[in-house]
Amino acid sequence: MEKNVFQLLRIKRNFALSLYAVFMIYFDNAATTPLDPGVAELMYDILRNRYGNPSSVHAPGRESRVIIEDARRTVASLLGVKPATIFFTSCGTEALNTAISGAVEGFGIKHIITSTIEHHAVSHTIDHLHAHQKIEVHHVKLAAGGHIDYADLEQLLSCYSNVLVCLMHANNEIGTLLDLEITSQLCKQHHAFLLVDTVQSLGKYQLDFGKLHIHFAACSSHKFHGPKGSGFLYINQDVKIPPLLQGGGQERHMRSGTENIAGIAGLASALNLACTHMVDNRQHITKIRNAMADQLSNNFKGIVFNNDFSERGLYNLINVSVPAGSVADMLLQRLDMEGVCVSGGSACTSGAVSVSPVLQAIGCDPEKPALRFSFSKFNQLHEVDECIKILKSILN
Ligand code: PLP
């Protein structure tokens, strides 16, 4: 009897979850994106049929090896670099940790220049090295809106030698974009090593690492409709660093561990799709983002936009502070109950009540809750109308 009740409850819960998925509005694509169906199919085929260990010499092993090397060539050609500069990892965090720890150990780096609005994968790695007295940290000043103050970056670069600069290309909370030309030129002039976190920008912008003075770039496939648990680190062919993981010596000794074949193939396929349809996707997403921004400002008094709508900001993101109040404090939860998925900060901190350090750094009012809407090629204009209707029913 008791078993039947639980079964019934489970069926009801699964039915409710399926309904939620059908009617849900997913505006949290900076946290993660849904897997592209074409990529899912490719991965499913590999998961079912290509189980050989790429290090094995027999036929199934060689088949898996071919999949990985094809993926490496695809990624490299999309970035204008040689395949030997691409090292597959388990995620963006691992790629960033490998580059930072490897550069400190391999180049004897004593000074890291970074900003106060980096992702925790960068800031916590740097904090850890600092706590163990391996490096000194210098935070570059931020200009209005959370952009890097390039004059201050130059000033810092002129003060120290053997420096690693760690900056993100696109900020995951407010979407500010780093000027890669200026930054890499400054690093070149001052003989500094440069690591760029391209997790939020790769697949959205044409990035040609081969043409820039960049030593490392980190990437994560789940931000452009690829699978989770799959990323890569670009390492400029002129530099060599020690690996983070010791073991079987895979990825030419840079990343030991049996390769995630389906994840790697899925990453390459998703990046290929993103780059092939980049212009159309950008147009579609920008239209949705602008419609959302217009409707937010037309319907709600006292809201403040924290993102940059110009070319210097991510085109798929809106970050907005809403006036404080009892309803506003529960906004994320209320939206979730209505089937709208957005974020209050970065994915790692969503759900946390503490004020986002990024919003703090750009001087946002800590009393006002912030919402991040982030869009993808799968969103539609009618979802904006629906979301605004729901927001009005909660806030007005
Ligand atoms: N860097 C940025 C800017 C991010 O937004 C994220 C994830 O949200 C990461 C790094 C970490 O990437 P991953 O989730 O693949 O570890």
Side-chain angles (χ1 to χ4, degrees):
M1 166 65 188
E2 204 174 82
K3 197 173 157 209
N4 286 345
V5 172
F6 279 122
Q7 246 169 5
L8 200 66
L9 283 175
R10 228 184 345 259
I11 290 168
K12 266 184 80 177
R13 184 175 165 274
N14 287 344
F15 181 67
L17 281 175
S18 310
L19 265 186
Y20 185 97
V22 170
F23 294 107
M24 164 182 90
I25 296 172
Y26 187 77
F27 284 168
D28 201 13
N29 291 279
T32 196
T33 54
L35 194 61
D36 188 283
V39 175
E41 256 172 56
L42 170 81
M43 290 180 66
Y44 186 53
D45 178 54
I46 294 173
L47 285 168
R48 286 192 62 162
N49 303 313
R50 309 298 159 112
Y51 51 82
N53 186 323
S55 299
S56 300
V57 292
H58 48 58
R62 291 198 307 275
E63 271 182 10
S64 296
R65 168 64 46 210
V66 168
I67 293 172
I68 292 175
E69 296 316 320
D70 280 351
R72 201 186 313 279
R73 271 192 294 277
T74 302
V75 170
S77 78
L78 293 168
L79 300 175
V81 295
K82 295 212 167 101
T85 60
I86 304 298
F87 298 90
F88 292 113
T89 63
S90 69
C91 58
T93 301
E94 187 196 324
L96 290 161
N97 270 264
T98 303
I100 297 170
S101 303
V104 168
E105 193 184 330
F107 309 150
I109 296 286
K110 290 280 173 269
H111 298 275
I112 290 186
I113 298 175
T114 187
S115 84
T116 49
I117 59 168
E118 298 304 305
H119 189 271
H120 284 164
V122 167
S123 60
H124 286 181
T125 308
I126 293 174
D127 289 349
H128 178 80
L129 290 166
H130 178 62
H132 287 79
Q133 280 106 39
K134 298 250 171 80
I135 48 140
E136 276 180 45
V137 190
H138 311 278
H139 289 113
V140 64
K141 281 186 194 147
L142 295 178
H147 292 284
I148 294 298
D149 179 334
Y150 297 101
D152 189 55
L153 177 61
E154 179 155 33
Q155 164 67 21
L156 285 172
L157 281 165
S158 65
C159 290
Y160 307 102
S161 55
N162 215 16
V163 168
L164 174 67
V165 174
C166 302
L167 292 171
M168 65 206 318
H169 183 207
N171 184 275
N172 48 305
E173 289 188 58
I174 51 171
T176 43
L177 287 172
L178 181 73
D179 190 320
L180 287 179
E181 293 274 346
I182 295 179
T183 309
S184 70
Q185 249 337 93
L186 285 175
C187 288
K188 189 173 181 183
Q189 272 166 28
H190 292 274
H191 309 288
F193 295 99
L194 175 59
L195 160 65
V196 184
D197 175 353
T198 60
V199 168
Q200 288 288 344
S201 58
L202 196 64
K204 297 187 185 80
Y205 296 89
Q206 193 66 50
L207 296 181
D208 198 338
F209 294 151
K211 290 204 177 127
L212 295 162
H213 178 80
I214 287 178
H215 299 90
F216 309 100
C219 154
S220 181
S221 112
H222 71 102
K223 306 291 186 184
F224 47 82
H225 306 286
K228 291 161 189 57
S230 181
F232 70 83
L233 174 64
Y234 158 75
I235 306 182
N236 187 305
Q237 62 201 353
D238 298 335
V239 298
K240 188 149 178 45
I241 53 168
L244 193 63
L245 302 182
Q246 309 296 332
Q250 287 88 347
E251 291 296 286
R252 298 181 314 292
H253 297 280
M254 265 316 296
R255 203 280 176 179
S256 284
T258 303
E259 297 89 335
N260 173 4
I261 309 155
I264 290 170
L267 179 155
S269 165
L271 187 59
N272 195 26
L273 278 175
C275 292
T276 307
H277 302 288
M278 194 176 276
V279 175
D280 290 345
N281 287 346
R282 182 173 181 165
Q283 240 171 22
H284 174 76
I285 294 168
T286 307
K287 214 184 275 174
I288 292 173
R289 193 271 312 254
N290 291 348
M292 185 72 184
D294 286 347
Q295 293 221 40
L296 281 170
S297 25
N298 292 341
N299 287 289
F300 304 100
K301 283 201 192 87
I303 59 166
V304 180
F305 289 103
N306 303 315
N307 61 293
D308 188 337
F309 285 97
S310 78
E311 292 290 303
R312 298 171 73 209
L314 267 181
Y315 58 82
N316 77 321
L317 183 147
I318 292 175
N319 191 309
V320 69
S321 294
V322 300
S326 56
V327 184
D329 290 342
M330 295 294 288
L331 208 45
L332 278 187
Q333 291 82 346
R334 293 283 297 273
L335 284 168
D336 180 34
M337 282 162 67
E338 299 288 343
V340 179
C341 308
V342 300
S343 196
S346 71
C348 311
T349 52
S350 44
V353 271
S354 61
V355 181
S356 143
V358 175
L359 297 179
Q360 255 177 332
I362 63 165
C364 287
D365 183 345
E367 296 298 315
K368 291 185 176 173
L371 288 179
R372 180 187 68 181
F373 301 91
S374 46
F375 311 96
S376 85
K377 62 178 180 177
F378 291 130
N379 289 126
Q380 298 297 330
L381 268 177
H382 71 84
E383 293 178 303
V384 170
D385 300 336
E386 200 53 42
C387 177
I388 293 290
K389 224 187 283 172
I390 293 168
L391 263 174
K392 273 161 89 173
S393 73
I394 300 172
L395 280 176
N396 287 345

